Amino acid sequence: MGIEIIVVLLCYGVGLSGTLWGEARESPRIKLLFKPLASTGFIFAAIFSGALKSDYGTLILVGLVLSFMGDVLLISMDPRAFRGGLVSFLLGHVAYAVAFAGLGPSWGWCMGAGIPLVVVGVVVMRWLGPHLGKMFLPVVAYVVVITAMVVLASGTVGIDGGAVRVAGAVAFFLSDLSVARDRFVAKGFINRAWGLPMYYGGQLLLAYSCLFTVGV
C-alpha cells in the first residue's frame, strides 16, 4: 500500500471517527479537532490523484478546498457561520459543475437525468419550504446549483471515469439532505450518522475522479 493511500485512509479513518464522536457528544471542540482532519483527506486524495496536472483536476481541487471551508464553518451553530458555509458549498458545487462541463458532457444524458432531478428538487423544496423562513431563497439557490452539478456529472457517464463522478455527485446530493433535515426539520445524531460518511465518500470519489483526466 502506497504512502499516499495510507495518508488518506488515516485522515479519513481518524478524522471521520472523531467527527462522529464529536457529533454524538454535541462537542464543537471535538468536531473542530477532527472534522478538518477528515476534510484534509479528500484534498490529499485529489492532489495524489493528479489534480494539479489538469484543468479539470484544478477545478475539482478548488471545489474541495471550498468544501473544506464549508465544513469548518458548519461546526458552529451561529446562523452567520451556517450562511457562510452554505455559500462555500454553493461555490464548490459551481466549481464541480464547471469541471464537468469542461469534459464535454452528453446533453442527451443531461436531459435524461435533469428531468427526474428537477422533480426531486421540487419535492425537496416543498418538504423544506415551511421550515426555512428567511433562508428560503438561499436554500432554493443552493438546490438549483447542486441539482445542476449532478445533471452535468450525469452527462459525463460515457466519458472515462463517468461512473465515479456520478456516484460522487449523487452521494454529495444525498448527504446534503441529511444536513437540511438536521438544520431545518428535525435535529438529531441519526442525520449525521449516515450523512457524514456519505458526504466524505462522495468527496473522495470526486477527488479520485482526477485520475481519469490528467492532462484534460
Side-chain angles (χ1 to χ4, degrees):
M1 182 180 294
I3 185 66
E4 295 91 349
I5 296 177
I6 293 174
V7 169
V8 173
L9 289 178
L10 280 174
C11 288
Y12 260 56
V14 176
L16 182 53
S17 298
T19 300
L20 289 170
W21 175 42
E23 293 287 358
R25 293 177 60 91
E26 298 287 347
S27 171
R29 290 184 179 181
I30 295 176
K31 288 186 282 186
L32 190 58
L33 177 64
F34 287 102
K35 197 172 187 181
L37 176 62
S39 300
T40 299
F42 53 63
I43 293 176
F44 279 143
I47 293 172
F48 295 152
S49 299
L52 298 176
K53 298 178 182 179
S54 68
D55 292 339
Y56 171 88
T58 300
L59 285 165
I60 292 296
L61 186 58
V62 168
L64 293 170
V65 170
L66 286 164
S67 296
F68 178 99
M69 295 168 57
D71 287 334
V72 174
L73 286 167
L74 290 188
I75 293 173
S76 171
M77 295 304 295
D78 188 314
R80 292 171 297 180
F82 179 78
R83 287 193 291 269
L86 193 70
V87 171
S88 291
F89 280 116
L90 186 147
L91 294 175
H93 290 313
V94 170
Y96 293 152
V98 174
F100 301 149
L103 296 177
S106 162
W107 297 112
W109 277 105
C110 286
M111 286 292 294
I115 294 172
L117 283 169
V118 167
V119 173
V120 170
V122 170
V123 171
V124 168
M125 286 311 306
R126 286 180 64 85
W127 168 53
L128 291 176
H131 308 280
L132 296 177
K134 293 181 180 180
M135 290 296 293
F136 183 82
L137 289 179
V139 172
V140 167
Y142 188 89
V143 170
V144 169
V145 171
I146 192 172
T147 300
M149 184 271 290
V150 179
V151 167
L152 287 166
S154 300
T156 72
V157 71
I159 302 171
D160 195 21
V164 175
R165 285 185 290 274
V166 173
V170 170
F172 203 155
F173 183 97
L174 293 175
S175 72
D176 274 343
L177 296 180
S178 75
V179 175
R181 186 176 190 276
D182 196 65
R183 288 283 176 157
F184 300 119
V185 181
K187 186 176 179 61
F189 175 68
I190 187 63
N191 300 314
R192 287 153 274 166
W194 69 267
L196 282 170
M198 182 165 289
Y199 164 74
Y200 281 106
Q203 292 284 51
L204 188 62
L205 289 171
L206 292 175
Y208 278 128
S209 73
C210 298
L211 285 169
F212 302 95
T213 54
V214 173
V216 178

